[in-house]
Amino acid sequence: VLQNLSQTPVLRELLKEAKMPGTTVKVESPELCKEPQLIKLDQPGPLTLAMHQFVTEMQETKKGVVTPKELFAQVCKKAVRFKGYQQQDSHELLRYLLDGMRTEE
């Protein structure tokens, strides 16, 4: 799930822009709305910052292995069920991760 998200160009660009508070982002989605939406971003929360850090490491690292420790710690704060390293469904991680970042908007 995290590897797929790190390869999503729109998410990478939004995370890059979200890191700078006060930025206005233009979101174009012809499927949802005919005209582009302008969204003013506030200070990103810890989960969003951790996701930005992870995606950046995935794109820039040459060492081959990236450990999402901080991202996992932030997900665990939003969803206690992930603590303890029990096996979880990937769609649950995706849901909690995206919902957690959305609530930080």
Side-chain angles (χ1 to χ4, degrees):
V1 167
L2 293 177
Q3 287 175 334
N4 286 327
L5 289 175
S6 73
Q7 297 302 315
T8 306
V10 173
L11 179 63
R12 285 196 318 257
E13 289 303 313
L14 285 173
L15 286 171
K16 195 182 302 180
E17 292 179 22
K19 190 164 192 270
M20 298 173 278
T23 302
T24 300
V25 178
K26 182 179 180 180
V27 177
E28 298 184 61
S29 179
E31 302 86 29
L32 300 176
C33 189
K34 290 182 182 182
E35 295 188 25
Q37 303 293 310
L38 296 176
I39 302 170
K40 184 171 170 126
L41 302 174
D42 292 328
Q43 178 69 32
L47 180 60
T48 303
L49 288 173
M51 184 64 182
H52 175 268
Q53 177 186 350
F54 172 75
V55 168
T56 301
E57 286 179 22
M58 286 289 289
Q59 294 299 308
E60 296 177 355
T61 189
K62 301 289 184 216
K63 60 184 176 181
V65 177
V66 176
T67 306
K69 286 181 183 179
E70 179 60 26
L71 180 57
F72 182 68
Q74 292 301 323
V75 168
C76 287
K77 287 180 183 178
K78 300 275 183 186
V80 181
R81 72 181 332 146
F82 288 100
K83 284 186 180 178
Y85 300 98
Q86 299 292 324
Q87 184 169 340
Q88 303 288 337
D89 291 332
S90 58
H91 75 276
E92 287 184 57
L93 172 67
L94 178 62
R95 192 179 99 213
Y96 282 105
L97 178 62
L98 295 179
D99 282 348
M101 288 191 320
R102 184 180 51 82
T103 60
E104 290 182 345
E105 292 178 348

